[in-house]
Amino acid sequence: MKNNFEFQNPTKLIFGKGTIAQLATELPKNERILVTYGGGSVKQNGVYEQVCQALKGFDYVEFWGIEPNPTVETLRKAIALGKQEKVTYILAVGGGSVIDGTKLVASAIPYDGDAWELVLKPSKIGKMIPFASVLTLPATGSEMNSGAVISNAEKQEKYAFFSSFPQFSILDPTVTFSLPDFQIACGIADTFIHVLEQYLTLPGESPLMDRWSEGIMQTLIELAPQIKADKTNYDAMAEFMLCATMALNGFTAMGVSQDWATHLIGHEITALHGTTHGQTLVIVLLGTMKVMREQKKAKLLQYGTRVFNITEGTDDQRIDKTIETTEQFFRSIGLATKLSELNIGKETITTIKERFLNRDTRLGEAGNIDGNATEEILNAAL
Amino acid sequence: MKNNFEFQNPTKLIFGKGTIAQLATELPKNERILVTYGGGSVKQNGVYEQVCQALKGFDYVEFWGIEPNPTVETLRKAIALGKQEKVTYILAVGGGSVIDGTKLVASAIPYDGDAWELVLKPSKIGKMIPFASVLTLPATGSEMNSGAVISNAEKQEKYAFFSSFPQFSILDPTVTFSLPDFQIACGIADTFIHVLEQYLTLPGESPLMDRWSEGIMQTLIELAPQIKADKTNYDAMAEFMLCATMALNGFTAMGVSQDWATHLIGHEITALHGTTHGQTLVIVLLGTMKVMREQKKAKLLQYGTRVFNITEGTDDQRIDKTIETTEQFFRSIGLATKLSELNIGKETITTIKERFLNRDTRLGEAGNIDGNATEEILNAAL
């Protein structure tokens, strides 16, 4: 462990079958609660019913309609409702988008200005309204971290910001059984790539963090075919849910360099085309691996050896094989691996290149991925 | 992940070179602080000076002399001082024993009865005084968990109890450079065995927790010769310090069965003979592995394969080789592996057997290690 670091994650995790009922004892009494929801799938899968049952006797108001890649436009309505109803606590019920959106709502209710200002300048966030979550889609890790990604539909922009942690999060794996296959695949991809963003950087910073990152990826590779065969396999879906939370709660990030170029480039594509986050990341990741292979050489070799058991050939051959095997893994779970498969081409690449050049964006663990390098990465992903 | 679980660990970890100075900003203002210390080694290694420097301007009183395997007899004096001085916050500066002892002090200052009652019946613990730590010896994980082990010298007893987590812990790896080789070896052993207590139980409960446990053990095995060669190797000592904290902070224990027979038997030996905790555990562990090999078969095979790369031969041969390799690892770091090397024999075994039979003790993940099985384990460790 070469580098100094600080770590704290206070979220209480309540994990397992039948745990939504525990809302009744975990939620604080005598609060005015805002319950935030997505588009309504919780009414089909029984989650809404369980939440209503647990909330009997609590004083609450509901807000519906936080969309995938939550927009500040929608969230402003939730914030207005929260202010009007003088809510003192928020419960997010949904996937990462609902929880991400709720983090902005919790920050903005006590704030006098417009919510988008907080996304652009999180240092303006003051005292937040405490919040908790019931997670329905394993992917983003938002249930156990302080980050959120918010879109601005009007400006076609999408940015990450950091505020505070959920007080508790309830994860009942049975609620994932009814998810569409594509959402599950995107969740697996998102989880896998969260790990790589914190791993595929400099070698030798922390042997333990490396092992823990590799452990999540090895587990996902073992789980993926089991989940494909039967998405109502409780043990497998529960383990995937655990992996998704552990992949972005800081547990594998202590004292190690981080990349996040793939995410930040992916956010641009989603902002412009509305493509699903996990699917978008897969395509960008493969481009990043190809273009940054020299800089990431030592870590790519370690990743190939330990995660895919690729040990034969020259370094270059092993890296080729490692990138190829990563692509095969994503194809095996049913995801596209090329921009052209999403009908995205040169025009989008030029737009993103220019945005990054205009903002003087420099991404990656070495801060050397500018607009031009981003163009190379996206060309390699065509 | 088959089992339901809850997880929460709120301790803030402040890790790295020069971090003791951060006490000045991390400690709350306007508190009356009790600073607890061990026997005085912090006066030789510069820690005391750094703490005093950081505490300038704070209102504090010192208590010295919390010993290894801290006794309630010593802690009663700290509790009396804390009551008399009306302290409102405690800072533990030392190894696991000082931090463990401080957990009892923090619990007992607001309590009217005798402190030993809280060890025997932790449900009597009410509101505790908040506390933090500066760690000087990586081993017990007490800096990031709520557990403590307290001895009663008069009764020759030693029990674990659970109270609450440090608010923050400062881990500066440079303070470990002056530790005696034997203490470092015992810390490595303690860490390794904490992992095994949470791992060497039932197979298939959580693939991810298994990988993370194996990851800590693989890292320790890589580090041990580096540390033996040069205990002022910062990166290696820092990684070991990180491993020790991560081995017993709940991160590898989510939803998995736990054993702890080795620890509970080891505590009895230490209570009777004052033997060092980590050294004692090594000897008991090897006995536990031998006697419980059928019950632990699947996990022993997985441990041998993944941690030591033992893949050839029949199951029985692989388990023999796995136990033998575990023993070699502990010998390689300079520890004894047999009771007879500590001059402990049949008489002690009979005493412990009788204690367990009298108390109807049943240890291990299956609750089937009684006094008689304990005798077998200790005979196998002679």
Side-chain angles (χ1 to χ4, degrees):
Chain A
M1 176 53 66
K2 292 181 185 303
N3 308 317
N4 285 15
F5 70 87
E6 292 190 5
F7 170 90
Q8 185 171 34
N9 189 327
T11 301
K12 179 176 180 180
L13 212 57
I14 300 165
F15 191 103
K17 282 189 196 87
T19 47
I20 294 175
Q22 282 179 241
L23 279 175
T25 48
E26 293 293 334
L27 282 170
K29 308 293 174 194
N30 307 317
E31 304 282 354
R32 175 82 171 139
I33 302 173
L34 174 65
V35 189
T36 53
Y37 289 103
S41 62
V42 291
K43 286 191 174 166
Q44 271 88 64
N45 62 15
V47 171
Y48 181 63
E49 222 178 291
Q50 291 178 65
V51 170
C52 289
Q53 185 66 30
L55 288 182
K56 272 185 186 162
F58 286 89
D59 174 25
Y60 69 97
V61 54
E62 297 179 353
F63 179 83
W64 287 87
I66 300 180
E67 67 273 64
N69 307 308
T71 63
V72 70
E73 287 85 354
T74 299
L75 298 171
R76 282 182 189 124
K77 295 178 203 160
I79 294 159
L81 178 68
K83 285 182 192 249
Q84 178 198 314
E85 296 282 338
K86 296 190 171 32
V87 305
T88 56
Y89 199 93
I90 311 184
L91 176 66
V93 180
S97 294
V98 175
I99 304 173
D100 277 13
T102 298
K103 287 175 184 170
L104 184 60
V105 175
S107 307
I109 289 177
Y111 180 68
D112 284 333
D114 179 64
W116 189 246
E117 295 171 23
L118 300 181
V119 177
L120 296 180
K121 206 163 181 187
S123 62
K124 289 187 175 177
I125 297 173
K127 198 174 152 48
M128 280 175 70
I129 291 187
F131 66 101
S133 84
V134 174
L135 181 68
T136 59
L137 195 163
T140 71
S142 190
E143 65 280 7
M144 201 178 181
N145 67 38
S146 64
V149 185
I150 307 294
S151 297
N152 186 312
E154 185 202 349
K155 298 185 201 286
Q156 288 200 306
E157 292 176 348
K158 184 175 177 183
Y159 295 119
F161 83 108
F162 295 88
S163 57
S164 108
F165 292 81
Q167 296 207 323
F168 66 87
S169 285
I170 293 184
L171 281 65
D172 181 339
T174 61
V175 311
T176 67
F177 292 172
S178 58
L179 289 170
D181 294 348
F182 178 68
Q183 288 299 335
I184 294 173
C186 286
I188 293 172
D190 198 14
T191 303
F192 199 93
I193 295 170
H194 286 157
V195 177
L196 283 176
E197 297 278 24
Q198 302 164 82
Y199 170 85
L200 209 57
T201 58
L202 305 180
E205 290 187 308
S206 169
L208 180 65
M209 293 292 102
D210 283 1
R211 296 276 183 196
W212 280 12
S213 286
E214 290 151 4
I216 298 176
M217 294 189 285
Q218 289 169 304
T219 304
L220 289 170
I221 290 166
E222 273 173 26
L223 293 172
Q226 298 170 29
I227 290 171
K228 203 170 181 189
D230 176 10
K231 68 183 173 185
T232 68
N233 174 339
Y234 179 84
D235 291 359
M237 288 302 277
E239 199 73 20
F240 161 42
M241 203 171 201
L242 181 69
C243 284
T245 303
M246 296 298 134
L248 197 53
N249 61 358
F251 286 28
T252 65
M254 296 180 209
V256 297
S257 297
Q258 301 190 35
D259 180 340
W260 298 105
T262 292
H263 266 72
L264 292 168
I265 298 170
H267 290 170
E268 297 295 324
I269 298 174
T270 296
L272 292 166
H273 294 278
T275 50
T276 303
H277 177 64
Q279 168 61 86
T280 313
L281 292 180
V282 165
I283 294 170
V284 181
L285 170 73
L286 294 165
T288 305
M289 285 173 127
K290 286 172 190 165
V291 172
M292 303 310 289
R293 61 185 285 158
E294 275 309 311
Q295 180 174 306
K296 292 178 183 296
K297 184 173 179 172
K299 224 47 188 292
L300 276 166
L301 288 167
Q302 181 178 316
Y303 162 62
T305 305
R306 294 194 185 168
V307 176
F308 294 120
N309 202 24
I310 294 167
T311 55
E312 314 229 314
T314 64
D315 285 358
D316 268 338
Q317 289 167 334
R318 288 164 60 195
I319 291 173
D320 286 343
K321 179 87 178 148
T322 297
I323 297 173
E324 203 182 297
T325 309
T326 305
E327 179 167 4
Q328 282 161 5
F329 170 64
F330 290 124
R331 294 207 86 89
S332 79
I333 58 174
L335 295 177
T337 58
K338 293 180 190 344
L339 277 180
S340 49
E341 293 175 84
L342 305 191
N343 297 313
I344 292 170
K346 290 279 186 189
E347 202 181 326
T348 298
I349 296 177
T350 305
T351 305
I352 296 173
K353 171 191 174 172
E354 282 169 5
R355 280 184 170 193
F356 281 1
L357 288 175
N358 287 338
R359 292 184 210 145
D360 197 23
T361 302
R362 286 156 199 280
L363 306 174
E365 70 274 15
N368 58 355
I369 301 180
D370 61 5
N372 294 313
T374 299
E375 182 181 35
E376 266 189 83
I377 286 171
L378 291 175
N379 279 335
L382 272 172
Chain B
M1 176 52 69
K2 293 181 186 300
N3 308 317
N4 285 16
F5 70 87
E6 292 190 3
F7 170 90
Q8 186 171 33
N9 188 327
T11 301
K12 179 176 181 180
L13 211 58
I14 300 164
F15 191 102
K17 284 189 194 86
T19 47
I20 294 175
Q22 282 178 241
L23 279 175
T25 49
E26 293 293 334
L27 282 171
K29 308 292 173 193
N30 306 316
E31 302 282 354
R32 175 81 171 140
I33 302 172
L34 174 65
V35 189
T36 52
Y37 289 103
S41 62
V42 291
K43 286 192 174 164
Q44 270 89 65
N45 62 15
V47 171
Y48 180 63
E49 222 179 291
Q50 292 178 64
V51 170
C52 289
Q53 185 65 30
L55 287 182
K56 273 186 186 161
F58 286 89
D59 174 26
Y60 69 96
V61 54
E62 297 178 353
F63 179 83
W64 287 86
I66 300 181
E67 66 273 65
N69 306 309
T71 63
V72 69
E73 287 85 353
T74 299
L75 298 171
R76 282 182 189 125
K77 294 178 203 161
I79 294 160
L81 178 68
K83 285 182 192 250
Q84 177 197 315
E85 297 282 338
K86 297 189 172 31
V87 304
T88 56
Y89 199 94
I90 311 184
L91 176 66
V93 179
S97 294
V98 175
I99 303 173
D100 276 12
T102 297
K103 288 177 184 169
L104 183 61
V105 174
S107 308
I109 289 177
Y111 180 69
D112 285 333
D114 179 63
W116 189 246
E117 296 171 23
L118 300 180
V119 176
L120 296 180
K121 207 164 180 187
S123 63
K124 290 187 175 177
I125 297 174
K127 199 174 150 48
M128 280 176 69
I129 291 185
F131 66 101
S133 85
V134 173
L135 181 68
T136 58
L137 195 163
T140 72
S142 190
E143 65 280 7
M144 201 178 182
N145 66 39
S146 64
V149 186
I150 307 294
S151 296
N152 185 312
E154 184 203 349
K155 298 186 201 287
Q156 286 199 308
E157 291 176 349
K158 183 175 177 182
Y159 294 119
F161 83 107
F162 295 88
S163 57
S164 107
F165 292 82
Q167 296 206 323
F168 66 86
S169 285
I170 293 182
L171 281 66
D172 181 341
T174 60
V175 310
T176 66
F177 291 172
S178 58
L179 289 170
D181 294 347
F182 178 69
Q183 287 299 335
I184 294 172
C186 286
I188 293 172
D190 197 14
T191 302
F192 199 93
I193 295 170
H194 286 158
V195 176
L196 283 176
E197 297 276 27
Q198 301 165 83
Y199 170 86
L200 208 58
T201 58
L202 305 180
E205 289 187 309
S206 170
L208 180 64
M209 292 291 102
D210 283 1
R211 296 277 183 195
W212 281 11
S213 285
E214 290 151 5
I216 299 176
M217 293 189 286
Q218 288 169 304
T219 303
L220 289 171
I221 290 166
E222 273 173 27
L223 292 173
Q226 298 170 29
I227 290 171
K228 203 171 181 188
D230 176 11
K231 68 183 173 184
T232 67
N233 174 338
Y234 179 85
D235 290 359
M237 287 302 277
E239 199 71 20
F240 161 42
M241 203 171 201
L242 181 69
C243 285
T245 303
M246 297 299 134
L248 197 54
N249 61 359
F251 286 27
T252 65
M254 296 180 209
V256 297
S257 297
Q258 301 190 34
D259 180 341
W260 298 104
T262 292
H263 266 73
L264 292 167
I265 298 170
H267 289 171
E268 296 295 323
I269 297 174
T270 296
L272 293 165
H273 293 278
T275 50
T276 303
H277 176 64
Q279 168 62 85
T280 313
L281 292 180
V282 165
I283 294 169
V284 180
L285 171 72
L286 294 165
T288 305
M289 285 173 128
K290 285 172 192 165
V291 173
M292 304 309 291
R293 62 184 284 158
E294 274 310 310
Q295 179 174 306
K296 292 179 183 294
K297 183 173 178 173
K299 225 46 189 293
L300 276 166
L301 288 168
Q302 181 178 316
Y303 161 62
T305 305
R306 294 194 185 168
V307 176
F308 294 120
N309 201 24
I310 293 166
T311 55
E312 315 228 314
T314 64
D315 285 359
D316 268 338
Q317 288 167 336
R318 287 164 61 195
I319 291 173
D320 287 343
K321 179 83 177 152
T322 297
I323 297 174
E324 203 183 296
T325 308
T326 304
E327 179 167 4
Q328 281 162 7
F329 170 65
F330 290 124
R331 294 207 86 89
S332 79
I333 59 174
L335 295 178
T337 57
K338 294 180 189 347
L339 277 179
S340 49
E341 294 174 83
L342 305 191
N343 297 315
I344 292 170
K346 291 279 185 190
E347 200 181 328
T348 298
I349 297 177
T350 305
T351 304
I352 296 174
K353 171 191 174 173
E354 282 168 5
R355 280 184 169 193
F356 281 1
L357 288 176
N358 286 339
R359 293 183 209 145
D360 197 22
T361 302
R362 286 158 198 279
L363 306 174
E365 70 275 14
N368 59 353
I369 301 179
D370 61 4
N372 293 313
T374 299
E375 182 181 35
E376 266 190 81
I377 286 171
L378 291 174
N379 278 335
L382 274 172

